[in-house]
Amino acid sequence: TRNEPRNVYRLVIRKAAPDFALVACALHMELRNGDRNAVSKPLALRGGATMALEVVVIRRDGFDGEINLAMTDLPEGVTAHGLKIPAGQSRGVMLVSANQNAPRAVGNATFFGRATIDGKEVTHPCRLASMAWPILDAWSEIPFPRLLADVPVSVSGFEFAPLSIAPPIDVIQTVSAGGKLTIPLFHTRRSEFSGATMQLKTMGTGFERVPAFNVSLTADQSQAVIDTAALKTPPGDYRIAFYGAAVAKHKPQPAANAADAKTAAAPKDIVDIVVSEPITIRVQPAEKK
């Protein structure tokens, strides 16, 4: 009829312009029953902490190349390592770590991705996504995200992560394709925990299917065993990290007045996401028999 709306279709013909855009948000886990809150998670680092940012790429006009992630202009004592976005995939990870002795600081970092398109190097900024306000229960309220104009990074300078997990310093873990790799992990514990073990999973291209494994929350060292035959990991250099959640007995800072001293000193159970420092793995070609 005359009053019915008509669909209007437009055909746009243009030259293809392969490109990409990047956006990242802090790693969020459903930690335990009741801990479903989706809150803003700024890059506020405690000494000895590693924070993971999940990075998503929007590809355009057939671009499917790999993208290397980087972050510069970081405060003193803070380092960043990108787990690159492989060719044809849409997800990567940026790991940001604060040294235990990193001084109190705040600044704006530069976060970007770099790729080669049509033989030319292209660099684009990576925007951070956050929540406009805290969401107490993401199952009953719709989160409202926003993009931040800057990439603020701060370091506490006086508070420390309850647990740091790190591989041997400056050691590339080497394994032949099809072989098993055992990676020693050193624990720096600065808190007591509810429970004796923590389950760790793996992030990093080619190693996401490593079975979850438990590590002790009372030991100073553990190990991860990776079977490259089961993963069918081809030769090459890779960067991975392990992550999990633990309930730490957080002890607040001393109270400003004596009347609140007992209350402030009482430890409180805090669910914390623990991310290891980045680990570099080199898978070498299998020896010919």
Side-chain angles (χ1 to χ4, degrees):
T1 63
R2 182 178 299 178
N3 295 326
E4 288 181 347
R6 292 181 298 173
N7 293 326
V8 177
Y9 299 95
R10 295 178 180 176
L11 175 63
V12 178
I13 300 176
R14 61 174 174 80
K15 185 178 180 179
D19 210 344
F20 66 94
L22 298 167
V23 65
C25 62
L27 173 68
H28 183 77
M29 299 171 60
E30 186 174 321
L31 302 175
R32 61 178 181 176
N33 291 336
D35 293 329
R36 300 188 301 270
N37 57 321
V39 299
S40 297
K41 291 187 177 182
L43 279 163
L45 300 167
R46 293 168 288 178
T50 294
M51 188 170 179
L53 299 175
E54 294 184 286
V55 183
V56 175
V57 59
I58 298 115
R59 299 178 181 271
R60 189 178 73 180
D61 290 355
F63 170 68
D64 63 354
E66 71 176 25
I67 302 171
N68 291 298
L69 304 172
M71 187 179 289
T72 59
D73 303 322
L74 294 163
E76 180 182 348
V78 178
T79 56
H81 297 85
L83 308 189
K84 69 180 178 182
I85 303 174
Q89 296 192 25
S90 60
R91 181 179 175 273
V93 178
M94 172 60 74
L95 302 173
V96 187
S97 303
N99 186 283
Q100 178 171 305
N101 299 318
R104 186 175 180 84
V106 63
N108 282 324
T110 302
F111 189 8
F112 58 91
R114 182 177 288 129
T116 300
I117 301 177
D118 293 333
K120 297 180 180 179
E121 188 174 81
V122 177
T123 300
H124 287 316
C126 181
R127 301 286 299 277
L128 280 186
S130 184
M131 296 298 166
W133 56 77
I135 305 298
L136 298 181
D137 189 343
W139 287 6
S140 62
E141 185 176 354
I142 298 175
F144 183 78
R146 61 180 176 179
L147 291 178
L148 303 182
D150 301 307
V151 184
V153 180
S154 65
V155 183
S156 167
F158 62 87
E159 189 171 359
F160 302 100
L163 175 65
S164 299
I165 298 178
I169 299 176
D170 297 329
V171 175
I172 297 177
Q173 305 294 322
T174 304
V175 62
S176 296
K180 286 188 177 182
L181 174 65
T182 300
I183 304 174
L185 301 173
F186 300 102
H187 304 182
T188 301
R189 291 174 289 112
R190 307 178 187 89
S191 172
E192 295 182 353
F193 297 88
S194 294
T197 62
M198 173 178 63
Q199 186 180 78
L200 292 181
K201 297 180 180 180
T202 309
M203 61 175 67
T205 301
F207 292 85
E208 299 95 335
R209 293 188 296 108
V210 172
F213 59 97
N214 290 331
V215 297
S216 172
L217 290 172
T218 59
D220 295 329
Q221 186 174 348
S222 62
Q223 62 182 25
V225 179
I226 296 176
D227 185 355
T228 62
L231 299 175
K232 296 181 172 57
T233 308
D237 288 346
Y238 300 85
R239 184 176 286 157
I240 69 168
F242 302 113
Y243 68 101
V247 181
K249 294 187 174 297
H250 176 71
K251 192 172 184 179
Q253 295 296 312
N257 55 71
D260 294 334
K262 286 187 177 180
T263 302
K268 181 180 179 180
D269 282 357
I270 299 293
V271 183
D272 205 10
I273 296 177
V274 178
V275 182
S276 77
E277 293 185 17
I279 301 163
T280 301
I281 297 177
R282 177 165 295 159
V283 180
Q284 298 177 333
E287 295 182 3
K288 295 181 179 180
K289 297 182 180 179

